[in-house]
Amino acid sequence: MTFSLCATVDGRHGAAVATKAIGVGSTAPFVCRHGAVCTQAMTNTPIGVRTTRRLADGESIDDAVTALLEDDPDASLRQVHGVDHTGTTVAMTGDACDAWAGDCEGESYTVAGNMLVGEGVLEAVADAFETNADRSLDERLLVALRAGEDAGGDKRRDHAQSAALSVFDPDEPRLEHDLRVDEHDDAVTELERLHEVASTTGADWAERFPAVDLQRHPE
């Protein structure tokens, strides 16, 4: 019921996701100073939390996700993918995930989806991400999400019901972007609007109040 992308570029880690369900931003994508991961299909939110903790302890994302799924009796229903700060990737789709379901891995990024109209959704997401390499990570993620939506996205309705975009800058450290559309008739379009507001009004606000500290992953 979801398609998503995780990526790391120039030290920043991000994730973008869209689905035919409410509140996906609070359950599926996780970004931290060490990488990004998404848990979907039969979502297991603790896998996302535990993956970020293992990354913080120095474990690679492929080892972390493999170990967590080995201990999960419902692993065949899960879809988990992501990338860590070294560029190591992992993408796992359980045999019992609803069709069409699958994943792909590129250089420092992963794409996965389930209950899609077809494999072309993931191909569109990956192609859009790769061909927009001259743009910032948040813009690349958003363009890729739009490409997946335009390619058909979730097979259950014309438009995603919720969507989210998160980008973590480990140099600050802070979430550069943490945007969520929890329920909307056209969630990806609304996410694009929110991103535009955050990039203009939000940026102006941050400049006016430089002492504000909103980091969620302090030293």
Side-chain angles (χ1 to χ4, degrees):
M1 63 184 187
T2 307
F3 63 98
S4 61
L5 168 67
C6 294
T8 181
V9 175
D10 296 332
R12 287 172 167 78
H13 319 302
V17 57
T19 190
K20 189 332 191 156
I22 65 169
V24 70
S26 65
T27 59
F30 294 84
V31 298
C32 64
R33 70 176 65 248
H34 302 289
V37 63
C38 276
T39 167
Q40 53 200 51
M42 191 63 68
T43 302
N44 185 328
T45 297
I47 284 180
V49 176
R50 290 166 183 157
T51 296
T52 61
R53 290 174 180 169
R54 285 173 177 255
L55 294 181
D57 289 337
E59 196 168 345
S60 67
I61 195 164
D62 53 341
D63 287 344
V65 170
T66 297
L68 289 166
L69 287 176
E70 284 178 350
D71 289 338
D72 184 356
D74 295 313
S76 65
L77 298 168
R78 313 292 188 203
Q79 189 172 55
V80 184
H81 70 105
V83 58
D84 65 27
H85 67 285
T86 69
T88 300
T89 60
V90 65
M92 296 186 174
T93 299
D95 294 338
C97 291
D98 288 339
W100 188 90
D103 54 66
C104 65
E105 300 175 57
E107 185 176 351
S108 298
Y109 76 87
T110 58
V111 184
N114 60 88
M115 295 189 75
L116 304 181
V117 297
E119 186 176 3
V121 175
L122 299 194
E123 293 173 346
V125 171
D127 182 66
F129 184 76
E130 290 187 1
T131 57
N132 283 276
D134 59 329
R135 305 177 74 168
S136 63
L137 178 55
D138 56 302
E139 291 175 340
R140 292 178 70 183
L141 291 169
L142 199 57
V143 167
L145 204 66
R146 164 53 63 190
E149 179 83 342
D150 290 347
D154 192 311
K155 68 182 181 181
R156 294 171 298 169
R157 59 180 281 170
D158 291 338
H159 301 293
Q161 189 173 3
S162 67
L165 169 70
S166 296
V167 175
F168 189 84
D169 178 3
D171 294 332
E172 292 295 336
R174 65 185 177 90
L175 280 167
E176 280 188 309
H177 298 275
D178 187 18
L179 305 176
R180 302 177 182 182
V181 178
D182 284 340
E183 203 285 324
H184 196 275
D185 289 340
D186 189 352
V188 173
T189 297
E190 178 65 4
L191 185 65
E192 291 170 331
R193 187 191 69 80
L194 288 178
H195 179 265
E196 176 63 22
V197 174
S199 300
T200 54
T201 304
D204 292 342
W205 182 86
E207 289 182 4
R208 289 179 59 196
F209 303 101
V212 172
D213 188 352
L214 304 178
Q215 60 178 311
R216 297 185 184 181
H217 301 269
E219 295 286 358

